[in-house]
Amino acid sequence: QVQLVESGGGLVQAGGSLRLSCAAAETIIRINDMDWYRQSPSKRRELVARITRDGVTQYADSVKGRFTISRDNAKNAIYLQMNNLETEDTAVYYCHAITGVVGLERYDHWGQGTQVTVSS
């Protein structure tokens, strides 16, 4: 099991910015895709942004143009820069990582979650 440590959540006013960070406790493990998911009490957990090991990114339509995911492979870390935050972005944000030999095995790892609250 890969331990993922998240930080950067908090309370911000609508229109503000936050930057989330997630790093694996181990740096020698090869991590494939890394993602940010979020979940609010009224919604299912949803994918916010994904980045492959090669840097290819994918975003939910609701955050395109406002959020940017980036990655540091040497640190096994990802970041989520969130700008122009909206009250609908309020949720617990979870870091997710996939390890294993691509095409042969898959192991999913989750962080503990960090709360993001956007006030109007």
Side-chain angles (χ1 to χ4, degrees), residues 4 15 17 41 44 49 58 68 79 94 99 104:
L4 299 173
S17 299
R44 295 170 52 185
Q58 175 186 345
T68 302
Y79 311 93
Y94 295 92
T99 61
L104 296 178

Side-chain angles (χ1 to χ4, degrees), residues 7-114:
S7 61
L11 173 65
V12 65
Q13 286 190 325
S17 299
L18 282 175
R19 186 173 187 254
L20 305 183
S21 299
C22 169
E26 303 83 12
T27 58
I28 62 173
I29 293 176
R30 179 184 176 91
I31 297 180
N32 301 321
D33 292 357
M34 296 187 77
D35 323 298
W36 288 99
Y37 282 76
R38 67 185 180 187
Q39 186 168 20
S40 61
S42 60
K43 295 182 180 179
R44 295 170 52 185
R45 187 173 294 192
E46 62 174 351
L47 176 67
V48 176
R50 169 169 292 154
I51 186 165
T52 70
R53 187 169 183 83
D54 296 332
V56 177
T57 59
Q58 175 186 345
Y59 296 93
D61 288 342
S62 59
V63 307
K64 283 180 182 177
R66 301 187 298 121
F67 291 11
T68 302
I69 189 171
S70 59
R71 178 168 180 164
D72 184 335
N73 286 333
K75 297 180 180 179
N76 272 345
I78 57 170
Y79 311 93
L80 187 67
Q81 178 65 43
M82 305 185 292
N83 297 328
N84 194 21
L85 282 159
E86 303 171 352
T87 54
E88 293 77 14
D89 296 318
T90 295
V92 178
Y93 284 69
Y94 295 92
C95 178
H96 170 251
I98 300 173
T99 61
V101 178
V102 176
L104 296 178
E105 56 189 3
R106 172 180 171 137
Y107 303 99
D108 291 87
H109 312 276
W110 292 91
Q112 79 283 359
T114 185

